[in-house]
Amino acid sequence: IVPDFRADSTQGPLAFHDWAEGGWTVLFGHPLAFTAVCTTEMAALAALAPDFARRGARLVGLSCSPVEE
């Protein structure tokens, strides 16, 4: 089990355990915004988000970059 954490997100404040409760969660990370790999991986996961949602899974990505980036 991933430890609980709180973070600012592009969707507003996030309390991870509260947000993830009751379903499957895919937690992924990338080092910094606008790096070559992160841009393509984020776009690929965003495109697949409806498929994950149909299966009851939610996506959340972590980065070292500030929300504004």
Side-chain angles (χ1 to χ4, degrees):
I1 296 175
V2 173
D4 196 17
F5 63 88
R6 295 182 183 282
D8 292 330
S9 79
T10 57
Q11 304 296 308
L14 175 81
F16 181 69
H17 281 183
D18 291 341
W19 178 84
E21 186 175 3
W24 290 98
T25 300
V26 178
L27 173 66
F28 64 94
H30 59 91
L32 295 170
F34 304 111
T35 59
V37 174
C38 113
T39 305
T40 57
E41 289 178 358
M42 292 287 285
L45 283 167
L48 292 170
D51 294 332
F52 280 98
R54 275 194 295 280
R55 292 168 173 84
R58 301 175 80 184
L59 299 170
V60 62
L62 297 176
S63 172
C64 295
S65 298
V67 173
E68 296 78 22
E69 289 182 13

